[in-house]
């Protein structure tokens, strides 16, 4: 009998959820950044191994909301926990032991799904480090960068997934359309190339996506909240927005497996992170 189910990757911001999703699926799907809170919408990655189909959901980090976008991100993270068949609760090994997920997520009651505590970033902890209380056998210690512990994690998740038919084609790697990933990769490039707090003010909307031609044509708008930010995103002589486009294009081409012509424009959408109508337009609102 085959097994299939949703595995929510949950935890605080910057615990390695996106890096782990990419390692598990074997493709760069989710934004990875040293800056916390880069994941705003759940990214769903698929992996079919033998008789098991894993539907991994990389959810936003569990944070204290400061404005409307944060509220939407927290709501998405809680929905992912609620919808999961198994919860992989991530916590950095260097910060062992992990507090209970109910405490981190501020839940009134324990989730209905079984929880596997996953200690991440084991490559940052030297073997000589003396953990006062070593992780119990019911947990898994992994490094998404080296691949250590991933087979043990697959085994721990598989035994907790329900029996049932596959939900997706075994060759599929994601459920979201390429438009979604194109926007995310432009945003990831912004996180890489823009400094300090500016990437948090960036949102990306795909205006046009023509896949039936060579190269694939994509036109996207990079939104910021203030005119001064727009000038920084464009850069002197358009240098910065060109660099963002080049970086994003490489990521899109790698996932799409085709050449891409990416056209970017910068626009101001005032206070979009705090405006429900703007959040809804950009796909973040309910």
């Amino acid at each position: 009998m085959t097994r299939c189910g949703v595995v929510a990757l949950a935890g605080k911001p910057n615990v390695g959820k996106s890096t782990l999703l990419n390692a598990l699926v074997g493709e760069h799907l989710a934004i990875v950044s040293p800056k916390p809170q880069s994941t705003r919408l759940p990214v769903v990655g698929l992996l079919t191994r033998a008789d098991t189909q894993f539907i991994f959901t990389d959810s936003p980090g569990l944070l204290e909301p400061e404005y409307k976008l944060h509220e939407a991100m927290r709501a998405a993270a809680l929905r992912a926990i609620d919808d999961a068949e198994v919860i992989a609760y991530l916590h950095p090994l260097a910060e062992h032991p992990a507090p209970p997920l109910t405490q981190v997520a501020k839940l009134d009651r324990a989730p209905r799904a079984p929880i596997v505590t996953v200690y991440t970033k084991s490559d940052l902890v030297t073997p000589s480090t003396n953990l006062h209380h070593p992780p119990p056998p019911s947990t898994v210690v992994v490094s998404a960068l080296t691949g250590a512990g991933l087979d043990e994690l697959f085994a721990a998740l598989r035994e907790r997934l329900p029996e049932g038919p596959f939900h997706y084609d075994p060759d599929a790697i994601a459920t979201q359309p390429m438009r979604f990933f194109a926007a995310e990769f432009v945003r990831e490039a912004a996180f890489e190339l823009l400094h300090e707090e500016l990437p948090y003010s960036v949102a990306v909307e795909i205006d046009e996506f023509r896949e039936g031609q060579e190269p694939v044509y994509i036109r996207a708008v990079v939104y910021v909240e203030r005119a001064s930010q727009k000038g920084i995103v464009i850069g002197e002589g358009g240098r910065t927005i060109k660099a963002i486009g080049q970086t994003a294009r490489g990521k899109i081409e790698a996932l799409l497996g085709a050449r891409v012509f990416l056209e970017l424009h910068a626009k101001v959408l005032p206070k979009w992170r705090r405006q429900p109508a703007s959040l809804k337009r950009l796909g973040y609102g309910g």
Side-chain angles (χ1 to χ4, degrees), residues 269-285:
L269 190 59
K271 297 182 179 178
W272 69 262
R273 288 184 292 177
R274 302 174 187 275
Q275 304 291 342
S278 296
L279 290 173
K280 189 169 185 179
R281 168 185 169 175
L282 294 167
Y284 298 127

Side-chain angles (χ1 to χ4, degrees), residues 3-86:
R3 292 176 183 264
C4 179
V6 176
V7 178
L9 306 182
K12 292 180 181 179
N14 228 23
V15 296
K17 296 183 296 295
S18 298
T19 307
L20 182 60
L21 173 80
N22 293 341
L24 292 169
V25 177
E27 290 281 353
H28 186 96
L29 296 180
I31 284 184
V32 174
S33 170
K35 298 182 177 76
Q37 302 171 27
S38 57
T39 300
R40 291 178 183 163
L41 291 169
V43 177
V44 181
L46 305 173
L47 181 71
T48 303
R49 281 174 47 128
D51 63 351
T52 306
Q53 186 168 80
F54 300 89
I55 306 168
F56 292 110
T57 303
D58 172 25
S59 59
L62 295 160
L63 45 68
E64 283 294 320
E66 294 178 23
Y67 39 80
K68 288 289 183 184
L69 174 61
H70 277 174
E71 291 174 15
M73 289 162 62
R74 176 173 164 77
L78 294 179
R79 276 196 304 274
I81 288 173
D82 205 40
D83 293 344
E85 266 91 29
V86 183

